[in-house]
Amino acid sequence: LGIISVRQAPRQDVPPDATHLASIEQLTFHANRVARRNRLAIPLTELLHTGHERYHSESPREMTCRNLGHDGYAYRWICEAELVWPLKLRHVSVQCEGYHNDQDQLITTGSCVLRYAIEEHTLTGAGSLEHLRPILASANVTWRSVAISPPS
């Protein structure tokens, strides 16, 4: 897990293997890396595809998420990845292991995982690009897809 940037952490004694969730501005997740665990024994890869299995082979190797802050209930994240047209990201959820317990805002450094789903982009409605579907599909076009974690 790559912590790209960190905000000024709240003042208190922080163990060397812990990070304040509020201090994390951006995370980069990798498909082939296992997230670090302190309290939990179950190893998880940093990227967890939870959607339909037919899109599993289209999963990105890397995704980046920015911390949008706390909404009073949970932290919100905006995540992006490069996908093959017409696929798009859906249902993103960043989950980190609390250092002392599940509700702890102090997290185990490197423990965050990103759960996400991929689905096909619909091209219907006003301003539809449906006529471009065969061209985009045959050209193997990639694009940056963005999804925001839902409010709690």
Side-chain angles (χ1 to χ4, degrees):
L1 177 69
I3 297 178
I4 301 299
S5 54
V6 177
R7 297 181 183 116
Q8 182 65 34
R11 292 188 176 260
Q12 79 178 54
D13 291 330
V14 177
D17 58 342
T19 304
H20 282 280
L21 193 53
S23 70
I24 299 172
E25 290 183 358
Q26 185 170 306
L27 296 170
T28 299
F29 298 91
H30 302 273
N32 58 351
R33 289 192 192 159
V34 176
R36 190 162 172 241
R37 292 292 183 218
N38 181 37
R39 295 180 307 103
L40 306 173
I42 302 168
L44 296 172
T45 57
E46 291 179 358
L47 285 175
L48 298 169
H49 181 256
T50 59
H52 195 285
E53 64 184 49
R54 78 178 189 192
Y55 300 124
H56 186 72
S57 63
E58 302 295 337
S59 293
R61 296 182 194 272
E62 180 179 291
M63 290 175 63
T64 301
C65 297
R66 277 186 301 120
N67 187 346
L68 298 177
H70 201 275
D71 66 4
Y73 300 100
Y75 282 89
R76 306 269 319 271
W77 299 84
I78 183 167
C79 303
E80 64 179 56
E82 190 168 296
L83 296 172
V84 175
W85 178 265
L87 301 179
K88 66 179 179 178
L89 286 177
R90 295 290 293 172
H91 313 293
V92 295
S93 174
V94 174
Q95 299 170 338
C96 305
E97 179 188 66
Y99 193 78
H100 298 289
N101 58 58
D102 289 345
Q103 303 306 314
D104 200 347
Q105 296 301 302
L106 192 62
I107 63 164
T108 301
T109 302
S111 70
C112 298
V113 296
L114 174 60
R115 296 178 188 273
Y116 68 97
I118 296 174
E119 66 182 36
E120 200 164 315
H121 204 303
T122 55
L123 299 172
T124 59
S128 171
L129 301 175
E130 184 63 37
H131 63 284
L132 295 178
R133 181 183 295 273
I135 298 166
L136 294 171
S138 66
N140 201 24
V141 171
T142 60
W143 68 308
R144 302 293 292 176
S145 179
V146 177
I148 299 176
S149 60
S152 298

